[in-house]
């Protein structure tokens, strides 16, 4: 079986979830012996309209693009482009696939489904996000509130105008007639998409959330098949604690856009005063949101616990997840099932996610992850604290998560059933073409009575329908019989058309004169268009120069950020050493105060001893004077005694004494 995969862009330049999922399925199909070709609307060059081809892992990819400027109605061409449809018709005629599977129609438009239907090819569509219903994709209002669906064209113009200049131009039109025309094109967008989806072979919804939201907006429920995403995984073995130790590390993987809630995570983490946690952000600021990006970068630069690690190759995902303790998915929009949630759960990494469609359906709260209310900074911080403090409370999922191979098998069964089914869809497509031809014939039949532009528009439509009809290749015998009958009908219609043209020949001269009167205006418009294209080319070259200059500035800024981060680390180290020195100085000052107190006490004791010594010296002097007086007195007594003795001895009584 030959399978054509259709989407807006493809690896290696684009590696978000949709592109990688389509690539994984393509490889799974080829491993089972099927042939895969890819058609994308990715812009491959500076030309207004162009195409090229390349191969990735042996899978051929055709890129076909056109600038909105080549379309008469850029808004309508965004979802119903005849230029894209013609390029896809050429692709189908060259490749002749058995089935067409569409993953995304941005840049292509829903008319490619009509082209496949006209060739009798079964068509399958995957609901990867909400772009089919919402030109902004996320179903978010200007104020960030969740939107229920495209019910107000004016609101859609203002909302989508934030990211799409054509919608912004419609929202800003002052001419009410021109504004109403633009709003009409926006108003018809979802009905045109829905009609094509209702006519497909099957529509696949990866989650009940996205299925229910499309059904709520009018898509036929019986057309939708629930097919949960499958992923590639190296092992189902639950991992143990993260190797390397260190702080408990939370991670964010993906686009750092406002609708992904990067600002909610950064605000919650920055206001969390804990030194035993860290945050690593893997991704970049792909969308132009200057205020949002500036605020996020300020949080990162001011907090050394936060690391902006940038993007990584898809093959490095296992290593990236292995270095995280928990994953945070704080999305602000109605997510489909984010692949990163499934990949983290299979790797044994618990997930903290917003309680929104898609995420809430993928997480078993309290078992393999936790949920918090959308945009609730405090709620997110509490959930992170719960996981960091009690990581053992969450465990790997017990339910079975499908693999890519499981998805491939389920899709191949659907493809095979559609290819083997009776070709009623092709017959219906041919009946539609016959109706177009009949309408054109009626318009031609009325041409003789009036030269309205509608008749010639129908004529051009008939020519286009005839070319489509000639491109049909019917393979079954029943289809060949229908083709023969149709050819006979076409021949009859062509004869009638020739008669109508002959009847209108009499008016040809009048029409030519009218046409000559318009040629001068057409030439002037053509010259103005060429001048505008030349100016546009100049602007594109200048824009490319500005992009290169911006890239240089970005590299310089990254260098400055690295230097700033290193300087901040050095400053933090110097501040730490200064704090330690101040602590030592405080201790020395305290010791000095204690020493001063001891010294004061000793000085007081010294003064007291000195006073006591002075009193003792005075007493000693007094005692010496007394003792001296005593010695003098004692000598006089002894002298008197001696004199008395001598007197006694001289008396007669002396010997007896």
């Amino acid at each position: 079986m030959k399978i054509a995969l259709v989407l807006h862009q493809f690896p290696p330049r684009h590696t978000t979830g949709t592109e990688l999922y389509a690539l994984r399925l393509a490889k799974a199909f080829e491993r089972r012996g099927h042939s895969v070709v890819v058609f994308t609307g990715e812009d491959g060059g500076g030309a207004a309209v162009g195409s090229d081809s390349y191969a990735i892992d042996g899978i051929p990819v055709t890129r076909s693009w056109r600038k909105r400027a080549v379309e008469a109605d850029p808004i309508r061409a965004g979802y119903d482009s005849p230029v894209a449809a013609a390029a896809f018709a050429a692709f189908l005629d060259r490749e002749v696939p058995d089935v067409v599977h569409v993953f995304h129609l941005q840049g292509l438009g829903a008319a490619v489904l009509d082209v496949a239907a006209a060739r009798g090819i079964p068509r399958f569509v995957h609901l990867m996000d909400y772009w089919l219903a919402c030109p902004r994709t996320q179903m978010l209002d200007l104020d960030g509130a969740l939107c229920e669906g495209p019910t107000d064209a004016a609101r859609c113009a203002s909302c989508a105008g934030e990211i799409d200049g054509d919608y912004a131009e419609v929202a800003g039109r002052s001419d009410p007639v021109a504004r109403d025309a633009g709003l009409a094109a926006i108003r018809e967008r979802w009905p045109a998409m829905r009609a094509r989806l209702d006519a497909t072979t099957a529509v696949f919804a990866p989650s009940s959330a996205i299925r229910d939201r499309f059904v709520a907006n009018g898509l036929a429920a019986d057309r939708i098949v629930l097919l949960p995403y499958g992923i590639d995984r190296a092992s189902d073995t639950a991992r143990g604690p993260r190797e390397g130790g260190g702080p408990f590390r939370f991670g964010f993987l993906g686009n750092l856009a406002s609708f992904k809630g990067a600002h909610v995570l950064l605000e919650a983490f920055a206001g969390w005063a804990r030194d035993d946690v860290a945050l690593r952000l893997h991704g970049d600021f792909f969308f132009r949101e200057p205020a949002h990006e500036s605020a996020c970068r300020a949080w990162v630069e001011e907090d050394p616990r936060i690391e902006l690690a940038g993007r990584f190759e898809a093959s490095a995902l296992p290593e990236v997840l292995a270095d995280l303790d928990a994953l945070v998915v704080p999305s602000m929009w109605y997510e489909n099932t984010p692949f990163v949630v499934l990949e983290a759960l299979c790797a044994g990494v618990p997930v903290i996610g917003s309680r929104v469609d898609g995420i809430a359906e993928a997480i078993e709260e309290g078992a393999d992850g936790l949920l918090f209310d959308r945009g609730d900074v405090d709620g997110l911080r509490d959930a992170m604290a719960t996981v960091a403090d009690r990581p053992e409370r969450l465990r790997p999922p017990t339910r079975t998560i499908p693999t890519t191979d499981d998805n491939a098998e389920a899709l191949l069964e659907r493809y095979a059933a559609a290819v083997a089914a009776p070709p009623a869809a092709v017959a219906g497509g041919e009946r539609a073409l016959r109706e177009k031809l009949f309408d054109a014939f009626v318009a031609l039949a009325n041409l003789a009575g009036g030269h309205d532009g509608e008749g010639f528009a129908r004529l051009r439509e008939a020519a286009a329908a005839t070319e489509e009809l000639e491109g049909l290749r019917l393979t079954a015998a029943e289809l060949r019989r229908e083709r023969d009958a149709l050819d006979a009908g076409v021949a009859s219609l062509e004869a009638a058309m020739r008669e109508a043209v002959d009847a209108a020949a009499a008016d040809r001269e009048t029409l030519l004169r009218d046409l000559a009167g318009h040629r001068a205006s057409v030439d002037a418009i053509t010259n103005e268009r060429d001048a505008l294209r030349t100016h546009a080319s100049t602007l594109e070259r200048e824009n490319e120069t500005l992009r290169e200059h911006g890239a240089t500035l970005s590299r310089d800024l990254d260098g400055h950020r690295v230097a700033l981060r290193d300087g901040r680390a050095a400053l933090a180290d110097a501040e730490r050493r200064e704090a330690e020195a101040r602590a030592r100085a405080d201790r020395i000052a305290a010791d000095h105060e204690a020493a001063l107190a001891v010294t004061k006490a000793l000085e007081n004791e010294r003064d007291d001893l000195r006073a006591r010594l002075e009193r003792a010296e005075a007493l000693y002097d007094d005692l010496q004077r007394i003792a001296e007086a005593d010695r003098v007195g004692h000598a006089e007594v002894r002298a008197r005694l001696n004199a008395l003795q001598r007197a006694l001895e001289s008396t007669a009584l002396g010997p007896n004494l």
Side-chain angles (χ1 to χ4, degrees):
M1 187 185 306
K2 191 171 189 178
I3 304 164
L5 306 184
V6 181
L7 63 165
H8 55 341
Q9 53 201 22
F10 206 64
R13 284 179 60 185
H14 301 277
T15 55
T16 57
T18 298
E19 298 91 335
L20 292 177
Y21 181 58
L23 178 59
R24 290 196 296 266
L25 283 174
K27 293 179 180 179
F29 293 150
E30 291 204 329
R31 286 195 299 272
R32 287 158 175 76
H34 301 283
S35 173
V36 178
V37 291
V38 177
F39 183 85
T40 81
E42 178 183 334
D43 191 343
V49 179
S51 66
D52 60 13
S53 61
Y54 66 94
I56 178 170
D57 296 334
I59 299 170
V61 180
T62 296
R63 295 191 302 187
S64 179
W65 67 90
R66 87 275 185 237
K67 307 292 186 186
R68 288 271 188 98
V70 306
E71 305 279 9
D73 185 343
I75 295 291
R76 200 176 301 277
Y79 61 86
D80 199 357
S81 168
V83 178
F88 188 59
F91 169 81
L92 293 181
D93 291 343
R94 182 180 74 247
E95 298 294 345
V96 195
D98 296 293
V99 296
V100 168
H101 192 147
V102 172
F103 291 88
H104 213 292
L105 286 173
Q106 189 172 14
L108 294 169
V112 299
L113 292 170
D114 297 340
V115 174
R119 285 157 175 74
I121 303 173
R123 287 102 46 226
F124 299 88
V125 175
H126 238 96
L127 300 177
M128 304 300 293
D129 55 31
Y130 294 96
W131 181 85
L132 292 169
C134 170
R136 191 178 176 180
T137 304
Q138 290 85 34
M139 292 183 74
L140 287 174
D141 284 342
L142 286 173
D143 58 359
L146 294 171
C147 175
E148 295 301 318
T151 58
D152 185 338
R155 185 181 66 174
C156 289
S158 299
C159 189
E162 279 201 333
I163 60 173
D164 190 316
D166 292 322
Y167 281 81
E169 191 270 333
V170 170
R173 286 176 183 173
S174 58
D175 180 1
V177 175
R179 189 172 189 272
D180 288 345
L183 293 178
I186 295 173
R187 191 176 298 111
E188 294 166 12
R189 182 183 186 278
W190 169 233
M193 296 286 196
R194 187 176 59 217
R196 272 59 175 263
L197 292 176
D198 284 340
T200 58
T201 309
V203 176
F204 297 111
S207 68
S208 58
I210 196 169
R211 175 199 61 195
D212 295 345
R213 197 152 298 283
F214 271 94
V215 170
N217 279 278
L219 184 60
D222 60 357
R223 185 67 54 190
I224 304 176
V225 178
L226 188 62
L227 182 67
Y229 282 141
I231 63 171
D232 288 343
R233 54 179 183 260
S235 171
D236 289 323
T237 303
R239 71 167 195 179
R242 177 175 60 86
E243 297 180 359
F248 191 95
R249 183 176 294 128
F250 294 91
F252 176 97
L253 277 61
N255 198 311
L256 295 168
S258 59
F259 65 86
K260 286 291 187 180
H263 58 297
V264 177
L265 172 57
L266 284 167
E267 183 178 355
F269 193 86
W272 194 16
R274 287 181 59 161
D275 295 330
D276 60 342
V277 294
L279 173 61
R280 179 174 292 167
L281 306 170
H282 284 281
D284 57 15
F285 297 94
F286 179 78
F287 292 93
R288 295 179 180 176
E289 299 177 292
H292 166 78
E293 181 176 350
S294 178
C296 289
R297 289 192 181 277
W299 274 314
V300 172
E301 292 169 359
E302 293 171 3
D303 194 332
R305 302 172 302 163
I306 304 175
E307 176 188 1
L308 184 57
R311 302 177 64 181
F312 60 89
E313 294 295 330
S315 58
L317 179 62
E319 290 76 15
V320 170
L321 290 173
D323 208 26
L324 300 179
D325 293 301
L327 179 73
V328 183
V329 187
S331 294
M332 301 294 289
W333 66 298
Y334 294 122
E335 284 271 12
N336 202 343
T337 307
F339 286 102
V340 69
V341 171
L342 304 178
E343 289 156 341
L345 293 177
C346 284
V349 179
V351 178
I352 301 172
S354 299
R355 189 177 280 104
V356 295
D357 290 358
I359 296 178
E361 187 174 338
I363 294 175
E364 186 178 351
E365 187 171 15
D368 51 30
L370 295 177
L371 297 173
F372 66 96
D373 290 340
R374 168 184 174 271
D376 185 355
V377 172
D378 294 333
L380 172 55
R381 190 182 299 123
D382 291 343
M384 290 193 293
T386 299
V387 175
D389 293 338
R390 297 178 56 196
E392 72 282 354
R393 94 173 253 186
L394 300 179
R395 52 175 171 71
T398 56
R399 64 192 183 284
T400 301
I401 296 177
T403 65
T404 303
D405 287 334
D406 294 334
N407 280 182
E409 292 289 352
L411 291 173
L412 287 171
E413 288 182 9
R414 292 275 178 176
Y415 295 165
V419 171
V426 176
E430 292 191 18
R431 282 194 296 273
L433 287 175
R434 286 200 297 270
E435 290 172 2
K436 288 182 181 180
L437 288 170
F438 179 77
D439 289 344
F441 168 72
V442 171
L444 284 171
N446 294 327
L447 195 60
H451 311 299
D452 53 67
E454 182 181 358
F456 283 102
R458 293 298 184 94
L459 177 59
R460 288 193 296 271
E461 185 179 1
T466 304
E467 290 175 1
E468 259 187 294
L469 188 61
E470 291 175 353
L472 290 170
R473 290 179 302 280
L474 307 179
T475 55
E478 178 183 352
L479 293 177
R480 292 194 190 94
R481 287 193 297 273
E482 281 201 32
R483 182 194 62 192
D484 294 340
L486 183 60
D487 287 344
V490 169
S492 176
L493 287 173
E494 287 177 343
M497 288 168 63
R498 283 194 295 271
E499 291 177 2
V501 171
D502 292 340
D507 300 319
R508 180 173 177 273
E509 293 301 324
T510 302
L511 292 173
L512 287 176
R513 284 193 300 271
D514 293 339
L515 181 61
H518 293 294
R519 276 179 179 164
S521 299
V522 170
D523 291 340
I525 292 172
T526 300
N527 293 336
E528 184 177 357
R529 181 200 61 192
D530 293 339
L532 288 173
R533 285 179 175 172
T534 302
H535 182 57
S537 299
T538 302
L539 290 177
E540 286 180 358
R541 289 194 296 272
E542 291 175 354
N543 191 31
E544 184 62 30
T545 301
L546 289 174
R547 286 197 190 100
E548 294 174 357
H549 182 58
T552 301
L553 290 177
S554 178
R555 289 192 294 272
D556 293 341
L557 182 58
D558 289 340
H560 291 317
R561 287 198 185 101
V562 172
L564 180 59
R565 185 175 63 243
D566 294 340
R568 283 185 172 151
L571 178 59
D573 184 62
E575 289 174 346
R576 178 183 57 78
R577 292 199 300 272
E578 180 185 4
E580 293 174 351
R582 285 178 178 171
R584 288 196 299 272
D586 291 340
R587 291 195 296 273
I588 292 171
D591 293 342
H592 179 64
E593 291 295 330
L596 287 175
V598 171
T599 301
K600 184 65 176 176
L602 290 174
E603 286 176 350
N604 293 336
E605 186 175 353
R606 180 199 65 191
D607 295 337
D608 181 69
L609 289 173
R610 183 176 291 163
R612 291 169 61 189
L613 178 59
E614 289 174 354
R615 290 194 299 272
E617 286 176 347
L619 181 60
Y620 177 76
D621 293 338
D622 292 340
L623 290 174
Q624 278 187 332
R625 285 192 298 275
I626 294 171
E628 184 63 32
D630 288 345
R631 280 194 300 272
V632 173
H634 181 68
E636 290 177 353
V637 171
R638 185 172 293 279
R640 291 177 180 180
L641 285 175
N642 287 338
L644 180 61
Q645 182 70 32
R646 287 190 300 271
L648 288 174
E649 286 177 349
S650 67
T651 68
L653 295 178
N656 296 320
L657 294 172

